[in-house]
Amino acid sequence: MKLKEYKYYPWIVVALLWVVALLNYMDRQMLSTMQEAMKVDITELNRAEAFGALMAVFLWVYGIVSPFAGLVADKVNRKWLVIGSLFVWSAVTMLMGFATSFNQLYILRGLMGISEALYIPSALSLLADWHTGKSRSLAIGVHMTGIYVGQAIGGFGAVAAAMFSWKETFHWFGVIGIAYSIVLLLLLHENPKHAQAATVETTTTKKKGAMFNEFIVVLSNWAFWIILFYFAAPSLPGWATKNWLPTLFAENLGIPMQNAGPMSTITIAASSFVGVLLGGYLSDKWVQRNLRGRIYTGAIGLGLTIPALILLGFGHSVVAVVGAGMLFGVGYGMFDANNMPILCQFVPANCRATAYGFMNMTGVFAGAAVTQVFGKWADGGQLGFGFAMLGGVVALALFLQLAFLKPKTDNME
């Protein structure tokens, strides 16, 4: 019997992709901590504006490419897309260790945006196809924990750079990813139903010339627009906590940044880890009794983030601020675990990666916008107010989700 025919193989897919998710976020995140080490050799990085441009090019390229990456994933064997994506961004990471100029880093960072954009739509749609009904949300949730762990490990890039050098750090992280792509080559398999459907789709596309049919199907689906806003609204505070929560902790608690940084990062990462597992388990149980179970689970998660954002904005004690961070993390994790499962209730299987590509693009662009706006508010001493105000945006998304999303099936074919 082949490996993919064993009844537990869907969970092997989760385990295999968990490592890829970790590498995906670790490789993109570690650059943010290594500015001090790199600017000795790359003089342009002494200017914050140049370092910001290096970070921004990844987000813009990643966002623009995401819908097209999803379109490709719906048409081809996703095994090869995942392996190719991992291999390329790992090779790019390794090459960054050989860079001698800002322009070289800038080009490589843009290439990383393209290669990493191919991963998430492919991986989540692949997991959704291997896990139906009783385990879909939990499988997605477990996969998301790999992202949180990758973010945390990426934050130690400066430590690795201090122990070795920034060049060696990029070299070794890149080599690890390239080696793991060989493991996937041997163990990862496409879902048979998708492989067959992709073959039929390719033949039909050649006959009809409908290269962008998935775009039409997704964008003409009114429920998708509700889901898109439901996804984008929490992405605003999601990115705000990634980029500005250390500053908020430092200001509201009156503590130095070297203490505020680890405190805020660990608080969000640990609580989000709990949230995705709780949200995944609850959703899979609830949907068996009520088709809106996934909707309700996501709504509970969003509901928890609203008071958390208000407390984050106006709290001035350790108990209030850390407690709010934990509440936000749990709620956001519950929301995060159910995005693709909810999408599966309204978008057919052959268009899910495309749909998630659009969601990914919207989330990244929302993150870029909120990061810039919060920078201005931080300069004006209004950072706390900004966090509290985002609670209202989330409340609107929560209302629209509960009012309009009424699935008729848990797995739209």
Side-chain angles (χ1 to χ4, degrees), residues 18-333:
W18 187 92
V19 179
V20 186
L22 182 151
L23 294 171
N24 184 282
Y25 270 73
M26 180 182 71
D27 287 349
R28 74 169 70 172
Q29 191 74 23
M30 64 181 180
L31 175 67
S32 65
T33 68
M34 296 202 295
Q35 181 184 7
E36 289 298 317
M38 295 174 69
K39 69 184 184 182
V40 175
D41 299 305
I42 312 292
T43 56
E44 291 92 337
L45 295 181
N46 283 284
R47 293 185 297 113
E49 181 181 357
F51 191 75
L54 200 59
M55 301 297 290
V57 68
F58 173 88
L59 290 176
W60 286 112
V61 171
Y62 184 91
I64 292 169
V65 170
S66 286
F68 299 98
L71 179 69
V72 173
D74 280 327
K75 292 179 178 293
V76 304
N77 187 311
R78 293 166 297 190
K79 166 185 175 173
W80 299 110
L81 208 54
V82 168
I83 294 172
S85 174
L86 171 61
F87 182 88
V88 172
W89 91 60
S90 298
V92 167
T93 300
M94 184 179 68
L95 289 173
M96 288 181 72
F98 292 103
T100 58
S101 70
F102 175 81
N103 287 338
Q104 290 174 356
L105 287 174
Y106 192 83
I107 292 170
L108 288 170
R109 192 69 175 169
L111 289 174
M112 180 176 281
I114 295 173
S115 55
E116 290 210 359
L118 290 166
Y119 174 67
I120 290 293
S122 303
L124 293 188
S125 63
L126 180 60
L127 285 171
D129 283 352
W130 276 112
H131 289 266
T132 57
K134 296 181 180 180
S135 62
R136 178 172 282 164
S137 285
L138 183 58
I140 299 290
V142 172
H143 175 265
M144 299 304 289
T145 64
I147 290 176
Y148 302 142
V149 175
Q151 287 176 331
I153 295 176
F156 286 91
V159 177
M163 292 176 62
F164 307 102
S165 72
W166 67 270
K167 291 179 178 292
E168 285 188 48
T169 301
F170 280 127
H171 290 163
W172 283 109
F173 279 115
V175 167
I176 290 170
I178 291 172
Y180 191 68
S181 66
I182 298 173
V183 175
L184 293 183
L185 186 66
L186 299 173
L187 300 179
L188 184 65
H189 297 284
E190 176 60 272
N191 183 278
K193 290 184 179 179
H194 176 86
Q196 183 178 3
T199 302
V200 173
E201 170 69 15
T202 301
T203 303
T204 304
T205 299
K206 287 180 178 178
K207 290 180 178 179
K208 296 183 178 180
M211 282 296 294
F212 297 96
N213 184 60
E214 286 82 359
F215 279 7
I216 297 171
V217 172
V218 169
L219 297 178
S220 62
N221 184 338
W222 69 267
F224 172 72
W225 290 97
I226 301 294
I227 295 172
L228 190 64
F229 182 76
Y230 155 79
F231 180 82
S235 293
L236 293 170
W239 280 94
T241 55
K242 290 176 186 176
N243 296 327
W244 287 107
L245 199 57
T247 303
L248 184 72
F249 269 45
E251 290 182 357
N252 285 10
L253 299 179
I255 59 177
M257 184 60 75
Q258 57 263 37
N259 295 333
M263 183 186 294
S264 61
T265 303
I266 292 172
T267 296
I268 294 295
S271 55
S272 297
F273 195 101
V274 173
V276 291
L277 296 180
L278 174 63
Y281 177 81
L282 178 61
S283 175
D284 286 335
K285 293 294 183 183
W286 204 339
V287 78
Q288 294 177 53
R289 299 182 179 182
N290 187 326
L291 277 178
R292 300 193 78 192
R294 301 198 191 281
I295 307 290
Y296 293 145
T297 304
I300 291 172
L302 283 188
L304 291 177
T305 67
I306 296 172
L309 287 167
I310 295 172
L311 271 175
L312 281 173
F314 299 119
H316 290 280
S317 69
V318 173
V319 173
V321 175
V322 174
M326 293 177 67
L327 188 63
F328 179 86
V330 171
Y332 196 85

